[in-house]
């Protein structure tokens, strides 16, 4: 009887594991694996529960949409990769963006500044964003930020429009 329970739990775990791994951006996981060993790389994972204690956020930025989106984030992954000879090339960055499109990400916006472009792409299904990836090049490297959770696509759209209006 005990062996049957163990086998059932193991089978359940193995069947759920692929679903959990799909929640993360495959292309970003590949970048992480390729460059994590470099001394100049940096990574940080922040749990959603840390964000839910949002009293440390600037209250001027917090409106209902922003607060709801923050509350719906399960995890944030931040990863910085060096550019150039020992890091990512411009071609690899371009290929990464193309790979995101292959993973059914849609581009929400680009934020253009003096130092370049910051791209914001999202994977959405049934009006819920489960994966939001932001990335851009700086002088010292490429920064990637991934938000995982169940975020309302309309609220993210309104936040993006506010950002675009602020940039003008």
């Amino acid at each position: 009887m005990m062996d049957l329970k163990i086998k059932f739990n193991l089978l359940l775990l193995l069947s759920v594991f692929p679903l959990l791994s799909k929640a993360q951006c495959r292309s970003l996981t590949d970048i992480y694996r390729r460059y994590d060993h470099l001394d100049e790389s940096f990574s940080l994972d922040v749990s959603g529960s840390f964000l839910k204690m949002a009293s440390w956020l600037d209250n001027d930025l917090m409106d209902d949409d922003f607060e709801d989106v923050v509350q719906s984030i399960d995890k944030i992954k931040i990863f910085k990769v060096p550019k150039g000879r020992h890091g990512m090339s411009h071609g690899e960055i371009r290929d990464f963006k193309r790979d995101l499109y292959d993973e059914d990400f849609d581009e929400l916006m680009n934020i253009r500044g003096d130092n370049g472009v910051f791209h914001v792409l999202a994977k959405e299904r049934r009006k819920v964003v489960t994966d939001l990836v932001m990335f851009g090049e700086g002088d010292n490297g490429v920064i990637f930020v991934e938000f995982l959770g169940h975020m309302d696509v309309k609220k993210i759209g309104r936040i993006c429009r506010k950002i675009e209006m602020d940039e003008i």
Side-chain angles (χ1 to χ4, degrees):
M1 182 71 166
M2 187 59 138
D3 282 338
L4 185 60
K5 283 184 180 181
I6 292 172
K7 289 178 184 178
F8 176 76
N9 287 334
L10 183 59
L11 182 63
L12 182 64
L13 179 64
L14 290 175
S15 65
V16 171
F17 184 73
L19 296 174
L20 294 175
S21 66
K22 288 183 182 179
Q24 299 176 9
C25 172
R26 183 185 72 245
S27 301
L28 192 54
T29 301
D30 291 346
I31 296 280
Y32 179 80
R33 286 184 186 141
R34 194 173 321 144
Y35 294 103
D36 185 47
H37 70 281
L38 298 177
D39 291 337
E40 300 88 9
S41 293
F42 169 81
S43 66
L44 174 68
D45 289 352
V46 180
S47 75
S49 58
F50 180 75
L51 292 174
K52 288 172 179 56
M53 302 180 301
S55 62
W56 53 271
L57 286 174
D58 185 356
N59 287 332
D60 292 337
L61 295 175
M62 293 292 279
D63 64 5
D64 289 339
D65 289 336
F66 189 77
E67 189 170 346
D68 287 346
V69 168
V70 167
Q71 294 298 319
S72 63
I73 295 171
D74 296 328
K75 188 176 204 177
I76 297 176
K77 296 175 149 201
I78 302 168
F79 188 53
K80 180 188 168 273
V81 177
K83 287 190 324 184
R85 187 171 152 210
H86 297 291
M88 288 186 80
S89 69
H90 292 292
E92 287 175 302
I93 297 165
R94 187 179 53 251
D95 292 347
F96 171 75
K97 186 175 180 183
R98 186 196 65 230
D99 292 344
L100 288 179
Y101 289 131
D102 290 345
E103 287 187 56
D104 296 325
F105 278 81
D106 293 314
E107 190 154 11
L108 296 180
M109 66 186 290
N110 292 318
I111 302 169
R112 296 188 184 280
D114 294 338
N115 296 329
V117 180
F118 207 73
H119 303 276
V120 180
L121 293 97
K123 185 182 279 191
E124 177 256 328
R125 187 164 187 221
R126 296 183 183 144
K127 302 192 188 258
V128 174
V129 173
T130 56
D131 198 344
L132 183 87
V133 174
M134 301 174 10
F135 70 97
E137 291 182 65
D139 291 336
N140 298 322
V142 184
I143 186 87
F144 301 91
V145 182
E146 182 177 28
F147 298 87
L148 298 168
H150 291 83
M151 301 160 274
D152 184 295
V153 71
K154 289 181 183 178
K155 292 177 182 181
I156 289 185
R158 287 194 292 261
I159 291 169
C160 286
R161 282 192 294 280
K162 289 175 191 173
I163 292 170
E164 286 178 341
M165 294 303 279
D166 290 343
E167 290 295 312
I168 295 176

